[in-house]
Structure formats: C-alpha cells, structure tokens
Amino acid sequence: MARSSVFALATLAILLSSAQAQSNTWEQCGGQGWTGPTTCVSGAVCTALNSYYSQCVPGTATTTLASSTVATTTTASAPGSSSTAPAGSGKLRFVGVNISGFDFGCNTDGSCTASAAWPPLTQFYGAFSLFVHPTASNLVPGHDGQGQMNHFVKDGGFNVFRLPVGWQFLTNDVIGPVSQDNLTKYDALVQACLNTASTTYCIIDIHNYARWNGKIIGQGGPTNAQFADTWSTIATKYKSNPRIMFGVMNEPHDVPDIVAWAASVQAAVTAIRNAGATTQLILLPGNNWTSAETFVSNGSAAALAKVVNPDGTTSNLIFDVHKYLDSDNSGTHPECVMNNIDNAWSPLATWLRQNKRQAFNTETGGGNTASCAQFLCQQIAYQAQNSDVFLGYVGWAAGNFDPSYVLSEVPTNNGGTWTDTSLVAQCIAPKAGAQKRSIASFEQA
C-alpha cells in the first residue's frame, strides 16, 4: 500500500477516534491550542472558562454556572510578576467559606478528642452531652452554621463550603472503623451544606495534619490501609452525589518522606474510587502545611503528580494548597503584608500550566483590617485572572468560631438580617467584585 494512502487512512482513523472520544466530567474539552475531545460525557457540558481553557462541568446544555462563578476579571499583569505563561481572564469556579466546629479539639500534631467537637448546627445544642465546648464548664450555644451557609449562598454568591472534621471524631477516638453514629452527626452538616442550593458543593476535610496523636500516617503512625479504610467508608456514603469533594487531609507538615506521603494519598484515592465515587473531585495535599509557595520546591508537586486513579488517569485529581497573607504565613495575625503573587501564585500557575494540572486554594484569609482587604483582594484578582489553573478559594473561617477570632468570617444575625465581617463584605464574597477588578485597583495610597 502506498505511503500516502497509509498516511491518509491513519489520519482518518485519528479524526474518527477524536470525533468519538469525549472528555469526562471536569476534564478539558477546549481552549486555544487544544487538540483533544471537544464534547463531554453524558451529564456534563463543555463550558468555556477563558480563551485558554474549557472544561466539562456537570449539567446540561442549558446549564449556567452559579452566580458565584460568572464574574469576569479585568486582565492586568501582577505587579512584578515573573510568570510568562498566558494568564486566563475567566471565572473562578468555586468560592466559599470553611464551616468549622467538627474539627474543634484537633491540634497540629494530629491529636484530637471526639468529645471536643462542637458541631456548628443549632440542632445539637443541649441534645448530646458529648458536645461540650472544650473551654466551657457546661453546654454553651454555638453559631447557626446552616443559617450562615444559607446566607453566604443567597446574599454573597458563594457556592462551596469546606467542612473540617477530626479523624478521631469519625472513629470515636480509636484507630478503626468509622463510627456510624458519629458519621450520622457529621452528615447533618453535610446535608445542611447540600441543601443550601442545587449548585452548592461541599468539601469533606479530615483535619489531622497527616497524623494521629503525633504519629504520621504511613510513617510510624496509622497504616495506609487504616487511612484508606476511613476514606472508603466516607466515599461509600457519598459516592452518588456529584457535589461532594473529598479533601484527603488538612495541612500535612514536617513529613520526612514526601514520596511515602504520596503513597498514603494514593491509598486514599484508590479507596475513594473503588468505593464507587468515580467522578468527584479529590484534593491532594502537599507538605509544609500544604503551602502554595513551597508546593513545587519541597517536592510535593512531583510526588503527588504520580498519584493516579485506578485506571491510570489523573482526572479530577486536584492539588490542594493553602496560603495566608500575614508576616509568617501562619494565619495568626490581624494584619496582612503580602498578596502572595510573586512568591507563590505566579510560579505555581506556571508549573500547573506546564504540567496540565489544576489547584484549589481551600484555606486563605486574614484579619478584618484594611491591609488584608487590600492584599487578599489582589490575591483573589490574580487567581481569577489565572482561572484556567486555579479552581477557586475558600476563606477561613466561619462556623462555631467566636467573632473575636482573629480570622473570623462569622456573620452576625440580627432578627433575620445577616451582616458579614468587613473582609468578607469587601473582598471574599463573590458579590464584592474582587474577581472582576484589576490587581492594581486595590493599591492604597
């Protein structure tokens, strides 16, 4: 057969294969230079996020993105940005708030006490003697987390909530099977999140810093199999809900072997997928408090890039990163001193594009101060301009925190009228418009 005929037939086969192939939910389906599938599997629609990236989003051809994700940014270069990669000018898909309470009693060494959890739902107050605030002598009322979430969605345009929970709470203080009673109690918060709107997503976050009572998972602490068993139970419960995301672990830190940690993450991913949760987003956390600034340099990116689904793909495996804006990146000071663009977000955006991956900033925030309003708004504007690689951000934190907490995003309710903290109102809420504005517009004299 003539070489020209072979070439023609091969080309035809490629075209036919391309025409028949479809991208899975959350996979790329278009954009400048894209040569892969341009249609999506049933139940998803190819949605343009910017000129460089279109993605299969759950819904139908008539589905539109939630109001919190439709804002278009004003294209502007970050001050001093060293990134030469093309910046998107699209929409941040997810913007939300952490709703804390089930994580109360957890320390950064992974020690948690189930009885110290303080569920951010009014239905529990006085109902269970288990739920005693750790600093109080008796049961004390908490905040209405369900009311907060309803307010954030209706009045602020948010569309995702992260729901931290201690591993010890889920298993009732033993390394072993999940306690169905405690999972049912935590599920009350998950259902409250899901019920805010049909477009709301909920992140299940095990808040243990890669540890159990001081010992690192897979490195002297609980085995990977024990960790995977917990995730298998959780995933089995939520496998049929596409609006659930799985946050494998909050803020691993001082993990000596990043490759071994990636193996622990792999065990969780495999367990989640094998439980039947085959399409939901799974968030993969790196070392050093999952810092966006050091995600590449400390080896987390390279190690976690090798984590795959059981079929060998990386579909819907998203890197989980955090970044605060105070002087030591601890999120413990009321003043902010940086927007994190040059030191963290610009280099990470370049790496993500080069490696065709995406990240989600699931913890960020600052004090209710002018400096944090300026710098956090700049960070948000930059992430929105690079929405092809950054899915969104989740502020820390509301739920059962006292309003005096330095990073409080707890809204107040006065006779049914909700009032946001200044940082939420000026910057974090999608309706505040930080995504739409140029970075330079937030400069203060």
Side-chain angles (χ1 to χ4, degrees):
M1 188 178 293
R3 294 183 61 182
S4 60
S5 298
V6 172
F7 178 80
L9 288 173
T11 301
L12 178 60
I14 292 171
L15 291 174
L16 289 173
S17 175
S18 177
Q20 293 173 351
Q22 291 182 311
S23 294
N24 293 319
T25 303
W26 299 122
E27 289 184 341
Q28 187 172 358
C29 57
Q32 184 175 318
W34 173 249
T35 59
T38 56
T39 59
C40 303
V41 295
S42 177
V45 59
C46 190
T47 303
L49 302 182
N50 51 63
S51 60
Y52 297 97
Y53 199 87
S54 295
Q55 193 164 39
C56 290
V57 176
T60 66
T62 58
T63 299
T64 57
L65 292 178
S67 59
S68 63
T69 64
V70 298
T72 301
T73 64
T74 300
T75 302
S77 298
S81 174
S82 59
S83 174
T84 58
S89 57
K91 312 153 190 173
L92 284 174
R93 197 164 323 128
F94 302 113
V95 177
V97 179
N98 281 268
I99 306 297
S100 290
F102 275 105
D103 57 312
F104 283 16
C106 287
N107 302 307
T108 58
D109 66 352
S111 60
C112 302
T113 304
S115 62
W118 194 17
L121 293 170
T122 57
Q123 71 193 67
F124 290 115
Y125 305 143
F128 301 98
S129 60
L130 169 68
F131 299 128
V132 181
H133 186 258
T135 62
S137 58
N138 47 45
L139 285 170
V140 292
H143 297 288
D144 178 11
Q146 182 169 7
Q148 290 176 13
M149 289 187 285
N150 289 336
H151 155 69
F152 283 133
V153 171
K154 178 182 177 181
D155 301 325
F158 293 90
N159 73 337
V160 65
F161 297 101
R162 185 168 176 254
L163 312 175
V165 61
W167 189 2
Q168 285 88 335
F169 178 84
L170 293 172
T171 62
N172 205 23
D173 288 327
V174 297
I175 300 179
V178 168
S179 163
Q180 290 302 318
D181 286 344
N182 283 12
L183 182 58
T184 297
K185 292 164 188 173
Y186 175 68
D187 180 61
L189 182 63
V190 176
Q191 296 305 319
C193 172
L194 291 169
N195 290 336
T196 59
S198 62
T199 53
T200 302
Y201 288 76
C202 309
I203 303 172
I204 295 174
D205 160 55
I206 296 183
H207 213 76
N208 274 68
Y209 306 90
R211 290 161 167 78
W212 177 288
N213 295 343
K215 295 183 178 180
I216 298 172
I217 299 166
Q219 300 182 50
T223 65
N224 289 347
Q226 290 170 321
F227 185 45
D229 182 66
T230 295
W231 271 116
S232 180
T233 301
I234 295 170
T236 298
K237 185 174 184 65
Y238 298 108
K239 64 183 179 182
S240 300
N241 197 316
R243 294 191 287 126
I244 293 292
M245 303 181 197
F246 302 105
V248 169
M249 178 58 62
N250 176 68
E251 295 190 346
H253 65 89
D254 300 294
V255 175
D257 189 337
I258 190 61
V259 174
W261 170 244
S264 300
V265 174
Q266 178 68 72
V269 168
T270 300
I272 291 169
R273 296 301 191 216
N274 286 345
T278 58
T279 61
Q280 291 96 329
L281 298 188
I282 302 179
L283 309 180
L284 315 181
N287 207 352
N288 192 27
W289 312 90
T290 202
S291 169
E293 183 173 356
T294 61
F295 187 75
V296 176
S297 63
N298 69 22
S300 295
L304 292 174
K306 297 178 181 178
V307 174
V308 296
N309 295 308
D311 64 1
T313 69
T314 58
S315 300
N316 305 329
L317 301 183
I318 307 299
F319 297 128
D320 193 356
V321 294
H322 294 175
K323 200 74 178 77
Y324 287 97
L325 302 93
D326 51 358
S327 58
D328 60 0
N329 188 44
S330 65
T332 60
H333 305 92
E335 297 294 339
C336 297
V337 300
M338 66 189 80
N339 59 25
N340 294 318
I341 293 171
D342 287 341
N343 59 311
W345 300 116
S346 177
L348 181 56
T350 298
W351 186 92
L352 291 168
R353 285 195 187 94
Q354 291 172 344
N355 291 274
K356 299 180 180 180
R357 299 299 294 267
Q358 292 175 307
F360 193 172
N361 181 17
T362 62
E363 262 194 46
T364 192
N368 290 288
T369 59
S371 63
C372 288
Q374 175 188 351
F375 290 120
L376 184 55
C377 280
Q378 289 176 347
Q379 176 177 288
I380 289 171
Y382 182 82
Q383 288 177 333
Q385 291 171 359
N386 292 270
S387 58
D388 56 322
V389 291
F390 297 128
L391 297 189
Y393 59 90
V394 186
W396 182 272
N400 255 342
F401 278 112
D402 188 88
S404 64
Y405 171 51
V406 66
L407 300 187
S408 174
E409 296 174 8
V410 177
T412 57
N413 183 8
N414 185 7
T417 299
W418 291 88
T419 302
D420 284 315
T421 64
S422 63
L423 191 64
V424 171
Q426 295 176 48
C427 193
I428 296 174
K431 290 186 178 180
Q435 295 185 56
K436 300 179 182 179
R437 296 168 61 187
S438 68
I439 295 167
S441 69
F442 297 108
E443 294 287 351
Q444 294 185 340

